[in-house]
Structure formats: structure tokens, C-alpha cells
Amino acid sequence: LYRHRQSDTQEIYWLNNRSENSTNAEVSFRVSGKVPELWNAQTGKTEKLSYQIKDGRTIISLKFESWDAYFIVFKEKTTANSVAIAAKKETVLTQISTPWKVGFNNKNVTFNALTSWADNADIDVKYFSGTAIYENTLKIASVDKTAKYEIDLGDVKNIAEVIVNGKNVGTAWKKPFKLDISEAIKAGDNTIQVKVTNTWVNRLIGDAQPDVKVKTTFTTMPFYRANSPLLPSGMIGDVKINLVK
């Protein structure tokens, strides 16, 4: 899906991947003689793009992640018919394999492996709905200032806010659950805090159990019953630190 707007000096295109699957596309724009830039609405950052001008049009190869949306903005004049920017390579720097400490309101639990809260034997975790706080530490030998450091949270149900060394680096709300942590990472020990919030479905199901005496939630219509299937919740899978250069 796309939309096109014009200003006195710019051609502005908004593009949106209408799918949860990632995809690659070669897009031909009705623009020539101007340099294209990718403007990321989620991060506020801009980046230069490789392009080719042919037959009065600008052709750009673009990669879209799940539900990705961004702006392609043409503004500065150019006389070059093609520009090639070297592609960056992503490699796994390290994986956080130590146990995670997770706080569920007033209860603290240790997760040796990151699994869904719904699979936990503890009913306070199993039926939890809200925000749980994951905490861990990570050691980095040295920091390459020319590279980008990215945290890959694996699968998240449903949204995650990440704090590295006390600095909020953003919120991941769709696949891939990755965030740029370059401005917060440092050589040596790093603290990582991930605040994960799920929906309230599991709490509604928990409150519907026959032995519950005090309910946490209230709803005028029982959409979920005691035997309704629980939804996956929390961080699920491995958490990795990627190096992009």
C-alpha cells in the first residue's frame, strides 16, 4: 500500500507492508533527478538508499519487515543515474543464556528458559495479565563505534519496552522484535531490563476458574470461560545481541 504527496521541494511516498510476513520489493517511483532517502517513522532516523534512474523513473530495492511502514522522500537534486550503497551484514554477537529474573507485581520468579507465562505451573504467572519486568546482565568485551548494536527479543507477546544501563532504547511492538541499543551499550557489564505487557485475556480466564474467591477483573460479558485456551504471553525464545556493520 502506498500514498504520494508533494511539497514545493519534495516528493513524499509512504509505503506499507500489509502482511505479518517480511518481503522484498523493487519499487519504481515516478520521480527522476532527485536523491531518495528512507525516513523511519518509528525511530525518527533517515538513511540513504541505493537507486537507479531509468526512463524517467527511480527504481529502488526495498526490504519490508512484518507490517513495516516508512517514507521514501526525494528532495536533493542529483545528476547520477545510479548509486550503490554497500549492504550491511548482521551477525550474532552473543546470546543471553543466563537465567532471567522476572517480576510479576509483588512476585519474583527465575526463568532458566524463556517460555510462555501460560505454560508455567504457578497460577500467579500462568494467569497473569499486565506488565512483567525481566532483568539480566550482559558483558561486552569492547564496543565498535562504527557498528550498530541491536537487541533481538525473539518472540514477544505482546509488547516490550527495553531499558539498557538505565537508558530507555524504545518499544518493540511487532515482528521482528528488535531495537537499536547502540547509544546505551558499553564495554564491560551492561544491565538489561525488559518490560513485557500482554493482553488481559489470561487474567479473565484465571478469574473464571471455579476455585477463585477474589477476582482481579470485572467485565459485563463473560467472553472467556474457565476452559478457554490461554494465550501465549511474555518473551518466548532466545534473546540475542546482533552486530550490524
Side-chain angles (χ1 to χ4, degrees), residues 225-237:
R225 303 187 184 276
N227 61 351
S228 297
L230 295 172
L231 299 183
S233 297
M235 282 202 300
I236 304 168

Side-chain angles (χ1 to χ4, degrees), residues 140-161:
I140 300 290
S142 61
V143 173
D144 183 349
K145 295 296 185 181
T146 65
K148 180 172 81 169
Y149 291 81
E150 199 172 62
I151 189 168
D152 182 349
L153 302 175
D155 194 13
V156 175
K157 301 296 183 183
N158 294 86
I159 189 168
E161 181 183 6

